[in-house]
Amino acid sequence: MSSKVTLVGAGLVGSLLSIFLAKKGHQVEVFERRPDYRKMGAVGGRSINLALSERGWRALKAAGIEQKIKDIALPMRGRMMHDIEGNLTFQPYGKENQAIYSVSRAILNEVLMDVAEKEQNVKFHFNQRCENIDIKDTEATFLNEEEQTKNRVKSDIVIGADGAFSAVRGELQKMPLFNYTQHYLPHGYKELTIPPNEDGSHKLAPDALHIWPRRSFMLIALPNTDGSFTCTLFLRFESDKEHQEAFDKLTSDEEIISFFETHFADVIPIMPTLLEDFKQNPTSSLVTIRCAPWAYQGKVCLIGDASHAIVPFYGQGMNSGFEDCFYFNEFMEKQLKKNKNIDWQELFSDFQEERIPNTNAIADLAIQNFIEMRDRVADPEFLLRKKIEAKLHEQFPSRWIPQYTMVTFSHLPYSYALNTGKKQEQIMNEIMKKEDIENNWQNLDWESIVEQLQS
Ligand code: FAD
């Protein structure tokens, strides 16, 4: 039996979830605050891009659209580190055939909406901002900001996929026993661009995620299919005694150029619109949001960033949101094996039980990876650790899996990756204390190291 579903938000997660719901026969109405930008002309490959990895791919495969997305994605096989002198070092992310994929957020979202709209039982409504929800009656009110008209929609369930500043979560916050935290980093981010060469080729190696790690701040660049790179500068908003470099010190053309000359000299010749981009593009904040419960009775449920927004340093925000959709679909299948009608209350309960501990774990891992990316990736000791761990993984592929591999190239629960990674770190700390480890690491007793992890 089908249910009438109101889905708030046609972002990446809402659009993918609408496909899964439609394939199970539900009547899905998606309400999106923004206009339909597919009708406003292509945004093209220049827009912000995201790293898509195994968890995201598994969900896209289950929705039957893996190949469609492969066609618009570029593989990145490792990190290309740019040191202060402009020297390059390449660190593979995993084994030879493993890569994460750069994909344009706008194009990915467009493809997901196009696929969803082909299902007869999905309908998108744009310029519809969710204002409030009467949870007990599952009635949502939307405001059309262009026409200043209101629309009241009653359904069997309401799902909030409306992002980090979710209006649906705002309604749940009014319910008893709802827990909520938000935590801002002192860092913000700004997007910059490296355009393609005249012949359309990339100005940097296109099969890598480029990083300029500079201790308390960093610049990264991800390739686009049109030959350009989208770069993101992560830097503190405000300077203090310990941190002299911050956005508040970059107010004039001279200050901006001098900052780049000092820290990222090799990008200046390949960023012709640096000053314009820097001044025009906003400086945005980075927030971690956790909440529980995600659902109220069998009526309302949150998914994606609405329930677990994380900082972007593990490239897992969208991937974990897509993994939410994968599990949501699995739980719909579990219900359908038991009953003709879905018991939404039981489904929401299974869903949050599975996802809350794991999305809390990826929130911790994402903050941890910021420190690793900006501070440690350039450190020779860190590089040696990675080499030793790669050797362990090569010899014992299922008994020692590096944390990055667990998060990025497996479906192991994030909480398992967090806890196992902590144990691995303790073992590695002891190994790194061994005398002359730089020269003797090839002769370690590999079997006993792996046994320590298992014990
Ligand atoms: P959103 O993408 O935010 O979509 C929410 C939708 O709801 C939007 O369309 C919005 O307009 C709509 N909406 C909001 N409020 C309302 C309302 N009141 N009524 C109706 N509609 C509403 N993740 C990765 O996996 N890999 C990466 O490399 C990566 N890089 C990132 C880099 C940066 C700088 C940032 C900030 C994030 C990055 N992420 C990455 C995270 C990723 O962008 C998010 O996790 C993902 O977009 C979440 O999707 P969502 O659909 O839940 O939310």
Side-chain angles (χ1 to χ4, degrees):
M1 291 287 284
S2 81
S3 297
K4 193 171 175 235
V5 182
T6 296
L7 188 45
V8 185
L12 298 170
V13 173
S15 302
L16 179 61
L17 185 66
S18 72
I19 299 171
F20 282 116
L21 285 162
K23 284 186 191 290
K24 291 283 178 290
H26 301 294
Q27 299 301 317
V28 190
E29 304 240 10
V30 189
F31 295 86
E32 166 58 47
R33 185 182 59 183
R34 294 171 306 178
D36 185 354
Y37 59 83
R38 292 172 299 176
K39 295 193 180 134
M40 298 160 66
V43 198
R46 281 284 184 86
S47 61
I48 320 167
N49 42 24
L50 302 163
L52 182 57
S53 54
E54 188 49 40
R55 292 168 202 268
W57 285 119
R58 178 169 69 161
L60 294 169
K61 191 172 178 188
I65 48 176
E66 185 191 23
Q67 193 51 50
K68 264 191 179 353
I69 311 299
K70 279 249 154 87
D71 294 344
I72 53 164
L74 280 177
M76 300 181 288
R77 304 194 186 283
R79 296 169 171 152
M80 185 70 85
M81 314 247 304
H82 296 241
D83 76 11
I84 198 111
E85 266 97 41
N87 301 313
L88 303 183
T89 325
F90 182 73
Q91 284 173 22
Y93 278 131
K95 294 183 183 155
E96 228 169 83
N97 57 349
Q98 287 177 321
I100 58 174
Y101 289 77
S102 174
V103 58
S104 149
R105 175 195 292 274
I107 298 176
L108 175 59
N109 213 155
E110 278 176 29
V111 173
L112 291 172
M113 287 194 283
D114 287 347
V115 172
E117 264 182 345
K118 290 211 175 93
E119 303 283 341
Q120 282 182 347
N121 43 341
V122 179
K123 191 156 176 22
F124 282 85
H125 306 268
F126 294 93
N127 292 312
Q128 296 286 321
R129 184 163 69 79
C130 179
E131 279 202 321
N132 59 58
I133 295 166
D134 177 339
I135 294 185
K136 289 200 177 87
D137 282 343
T138 47
E139 186 178 81
T141 305
F142 297 95
L143 171 70
N144 181 326
E145 281 170 336
E146 265 180 14
E147 294 164 10
Q148 285 300 310
T149 49
K150 287 200 181 181
N151 182 11
R152 283 204 172 81
V153 181
K154 208 170 154 27
S155 53
D156 298 316
I157 57 165
V158 177
I159 300 181
D162 49 345
F165 301 100
S166 165
V168 181
R169 190 186 62 234
E171 290 296 335
L172 285 180
Q173 275 174 249
K174 296 176 194 160
M175 305 311 283
L177 303 181
F178 185 84
N179 294 302
Y180 169 74
T181 62
Q182 68 177 35
H183 176 257
Y184 283 95
L185 285 187
H187 294 73
Y189 71 92
K190 189 182 280 291
E191 289 192 358
L192 303 165
T193 304
I194 298 175
N197 287 317
E198 267 175 25
D199 64 359
S201 58
H202 290 88
K203 285 195 184 339
L204 299 171
D207 59 349
L209 190 156
H210 294 260
I211 310 185
W212 290 257
R214 299 293 182 261
R215 298 267 168 217
S216 69
F217 55 97
M218 69 174 179
L219 179 72
I220 65 168
L222 272 74
N224 292 310
T225 45
D226 70 352
S228 66
F229 279 85
T230 305
C231 308
T232 314
L233 172 65
F234 296 97
L235 179 67
R236 290 177 75 89
F237 279 104
E238 289 172 7
S239 51
D240 59 23
K241 272 189 205 145
E242 252 182 77
H243 309 95
Q244 288 305 307
E245 305 294 10
F247 280 114
D248 68 355
K249 289 276 183 73
L250 305 180
T251 50
S252 68
D253 290 6
E254 295 71 34
E255 284 166 344
I256 297 165
I257 293 294
S258 153
F259 172 77
F260 274 80
E261 277 173 352
T262 311
H263 302 290
F264 308 113
D266 58 340
V267 301
I268 294 182
I270 55 175
M271 267 190 193
T273 52
L274 169 61
L275 277 178
E276 290 93 310
D277 290 349
F278 198 97
K279 288 186 283 187
Q280 270 165 25
N281 294 345
T283 309
S284 308
S285 56
L286 295 162
V287 70
T288 301
I289 287 171
R290 302 172 204 246
C291 66
W294 288 0
Y296 187 76
Q297 296 177 346
K299 293 171 183 283
V300 177
C301 185
L302 302 172
I303 194 163
D305 273 19
S307 46
H308 54 89
I310 60 175
V311 293
F313 305 108
Y314 231 121
Q316 287 294 313
M318 165 190 64
N319 285 291
S320 62
F322 282 2
E323 196 176 52
D324 287 351
C325 297
F326 178 85
Y327 277 100
F328 198 96
N329 188 48
E330 294 274 294
F331 290 125
M332 282 198 286
E333 277 170 14
K334 180 180 158 193
Q335 284 287 324
L336 292 171
K337 276 185 199 143
K338 283 205 295 192
N339 323 306
K340 268 197 191 146
N341 288 326
I342 286 190
D343 177 341
W344 290 107
Q345 185 157 356
E346 192 178 280
L347 187 151
F348 294 163
S349 159
D350 283 350
F351 175 64
Q352 60 180 352
E353 201 177 302
E354 166 65 37
R355 298 305 291 159
I356 292 179
N358 286 306
T359 51
N360 280 338
I362 191 59
D364 291 342
L365 284 161
I367 292 173
Q368 186 181 304
N369 213 44
F370 183 31
I371 301 166
E372 182 164 316
M373 278 176 90
R374 62 171 214 234
D375 226 8
R376 295 183 67 197
V377 282
D379 182 350
E381 200 233 277
F382 174 81
L383 298 179
L384 179 58
R385 274 177 189 253
K386 291 278 154 192
K387 254 199 239 169
I388 296 174
E389 285 207 64
K391 178 94 180 168
L392 279 163
H393 185 44
E394 189 189 305
Q395 296 187 68
F396 306 97
S398 58
R399 291 169 68 199
W400 187 290
I401 310 176
Q403 192 177 55
Y404 187 88
T405 303
M406 285 189 267
V407 170
T408 311
F409 299 122
S410 89
H411 308 296
L412 291 166
Y414 288 127
S415 51
Y416 176 85
L418 178 69
N419 294 330
T420 309
K422 280 183 190 158
K423 286 189 211 157
Q424 290 171 327
E425 174 141 36
Q426 281 168 7
I427 297 170
M428 288 304 299
N429 287 347
E430 291 308 310
I431 293 174
M432 297 309 289
K433 284 184 199 154
K434 287 187 192 291
E435 212 183 310
D436 206 15
I437 182 72
E438 306 78 42
N439 298 315
N440 295 332
W441 69 272
Q442 295 274 17
N443 306 323
L444 286 164
D445 180 353
W446 304 104
E447 179 70 44
S448 82
I449 298 173
V450 170
E451 270 168 19
Q452 276 182 59
L453 181 63
Q454 253 118 36
S455 70

